[in-house]
Amino acid sequence: MELRQLEYFVAVAEEANFTRAALRVHISQSGISAQIRQLEHDLGATLIDRSTRTATLTAAGEAALVHAREALAAAAAVRDAVDAVNQLVRGRLVVGMVTACTVTGLFDALATFHDAHPGVEITLLEESSDQLVDRVRGGDIDLALVGTATAPPDGLEAFPIIRERLVAAVPPNHPLAGRTSVALAELCDHAIVCMPAGTGIRTVFDQACAASDIRPGIALQASAPDTVADLALRGLGVAILSESMTAAFDGLTALVLDDVDIPAVLALVWKSAASPAVRELVRHTRRAFAEAEAPQIPVPR
């Protein structure tokens, strides 16, 4: 029994598909199948039911999965402990980023980190902020750039990059155009266009509405800020965005939300017990944003 066989087994169990698991661990499908068959031979039991298109665990597989994960975690802990003593940075980093976000500071940090530590494999993926925070807590992602109403989220370390207030964005022909501010109660008499639940900006908006016992009429939702803005420009509702997002779109006017004091926060988050590689990437990220000249960073999902 080898650690790589356990890694392949866990990948198939989590992906429920040999092809996706093979892509995840960077091996051919035939290779991962052969390794798992060898593991099953060594253990004397079938771990994966291959009778359907979905790879499911047998009873023996269910029993083995918990211990396989523990064995992989223990092996990673051994390596991290030695690396911490030797101040080495190696291995693999999974970095999360909110969907539809382009933040050059993070990209700069990834570039300088890769130049300094070419032996570290970096995987970048996009999801909603809530999903990213959950996966950082669960250990699937090492660190992530998220939009949130608080910094740090419970149980995580955080490096807040920017805090911005929410605004209501309207086109010139909207009844609220010409105003500089609006109260939530009055705003919610109009159709609202915003990002989906689980995004940083939406969380701030929902919390503010709940605190005032207001139920907004969400007409349309979109994951990308530019889509939300475009829908508002076409008269389909008032967009809920950050100040910098609104400023990026000609034709939209930002109205201050009088009774929303909670800022939307863009932050890098990671677990306290971080590996040397994670700590090194955090250091590169701090430096990248510190060196940026007056960055204009839209607060994303």
Side-chain angles (χ1 to χ4, degrees), residues 4 12 39 81 83 90 158 201 254:
R4 65 173 178 170
V12 172
L39 176 62
D83 286 352
R90 61 186 180 188
I201 285 179

mmCIF file of all heavy atoms in Angstrom, residues 4 12 39 81 83 90 158 201 254:
data_model
loop_
_atom_site.group_PDB
_atom_site.id
_atom_site.type_symbol
_atom_site.label_atom_id
_atom_site.label_comp_id
_atom_site.label_asym_id
_atom_site.label_seq_id
_atom_site.Cartn_x
_atom_site.Cartn_y
_atom_site.Cartn_z
ATOM 1 N N ARG A 4 0.378 7.280 -2.573
ATOM 2 C CA ARG A 4 -0.223 7.763 -3.814
ATOM 3 C C ARG A 4 -1.477 6.973 -4.157
ATOM 4 O O ARG A 4 -2.438 7.523 -4.718
ATOM 5 C CB ARG A 4 0.781 7.711 -4.963
ATOM 6 C CG ARG A 4 1.231 6.321 -5.349
ATOM 7 C CD ARG A 4 2.091 6.342 -6.587
ATOM 8 N NE ARG A 4 2.554 4.996 -6.916
ATOM 9 C CZ ARG A 4 3.161 4.681 -8.052
ATOM 10 N NH1 ARG A 4 3.374 5.627 -8.954
ATOM 11 N NH2 ARG A 4 3.553 3.449 -8.295
ATOM 12 N N VAL A 12 -11.035 9.534 -6.332
ATOM 13 C CA VAL A 12 -12.159 8.867 -6.993
ATOM 14 C C VAL A 12 -13.400 8.910 -6.097
ATOM 15 O O VAL A 12 -14.512 9.162 -6.562
ATOM 16 C CB VAL A 12 -11.806 7.411 -7.362
ATOM 17 C CG1 VAL A 12 -13.043 6.670 -7.870
ATOM 18 C CG2 VAL A 12 -10.709 7.382 -8.413
ATOM 19 N N LEU A 39 -4.394 -1.443 -5.088
ATOM 20 C CA LEU A 39 -4.739 -1.196 -3.688
ATOM 21 C C LEU A 39 -5.803 -2.193 -3.229
ATOM 22 O O LEU A 39 -5.704 -2.751 -2.124
ATOM 23 C CB LEU A 39 -5.233 0.239 -3.529
ATOM 24 C CG LEU A 39 -5.722 0.648 -2.135
ATOM 25 C CD1 LEU A 39 -4.597 0.553 -1.110
ATOM 26 C CD2 LEU A 39 -6.283 2.070 -2.166
ATOM 27 N N ALA A 81 5.968 19.595 9.127
ATOM 28 C CA ALA A 81 6.786 19.772 10.335
ATOM 29 C C ALA A 81 8.265 19.856 9.976
ATOM 30 O O ALA A 81 9.002 20.703 10.506
ATOM 31 C CB ALA A 81 6.533 18.619 11.300
ATOM 32 N N ASP A 83 9.474 20.653 6.968
ATOM 33 C CA ASP A 83 9.667 21.874 6.193
ATOM 34 C C ASP A 83 9.753 23.098 7.092
ATOM 35 O O ASP A 83 10.531 24.024 6.834
ATOM 36 C CB ASP A 83 8.504 22.053 5.204
ATOM 37 C CG ASP A 83 8.604 21.084 4.027
ATOM 38 O OD1 ASP A 83 9.637 20.400 3.914
ATOM 39 O OD2 ASP A 83 7.646 21.035 3.236
ATOM 40 N N ARG A 90 7.642 23.832 -0.484
ATOM 41 C CA ARG A 90 7.464 22.927 -1.609
ATOM 42 C C ARG A 90 6.073 22.328 -1.526
ATOM 43 O O ARG A 90 5.308 22.633 -0.616
ATOM 44 C CB ARG A 90 8.512 21.812 -1.573
ATOM 45 C CG ARG A 90 8.431 20.945 -0.322
ATOM 46 C CD ARG A 90 9.576 19.958 -0.271
ATOM 47 N NE ARG A 90 9.485 19.125 0.928
ATOM 48 C CZ ARG A 90 10.443 18.287 1.310
ATOM 49 N NH1 ARG A 90 11.543 18.186 0.595
ATOM 50 N NH2 ARG A 90 10.296 17.560 2.393
ATOM 51 N N ALA A 158 -6.990 36.250 8.385
ATOM 52 C CA ALA A 158 -7.353 37.045 7.212
ATOM 53 C C ALA A 158 -6.438 38.239 7.044
ATOM 54 O O ALA A 158 -5.935 38.807 8.012
ATOM 55 C CB ALA A 158 -8.804 37.513 7.307
ATOM 56 N N ILE A 201 -21.098 40.899 -1.223
ATOM 57 C CA ILE A 201 -21.979 42.069 -1.322
ATOM 58 C C ILE A 201 -23.416 41.695 -0.965
ATOM 59 O O ILE A 201 -24.106 42.427 -0.251
ATOM 60 C CB ILE A 201 -21.884 42.682 -2.726
ATOM 61 C CG1 ILE A 201 -20.557 43.441 -2.845
ATOM 62 C CG2 ILE A 201 -23.052 43.603 -3.025
ATOM 63 C CD1 ILE A 201 -20.314 44.073 -4.184
ATOM 64 N N ALA A 254 -24.332 56.455 -8.327
ATOM 65 C CA ALA A 254 -24.310 55.773 -7.035
ATOM 66 C C ALA A 254 -25.062 56.581 -5.990
ATOM 67 O O ALA A 254 -24.815 57.777 -5.823
ATOM 68 C CB ALA A 254 -22.871 55.558 -6.585
#
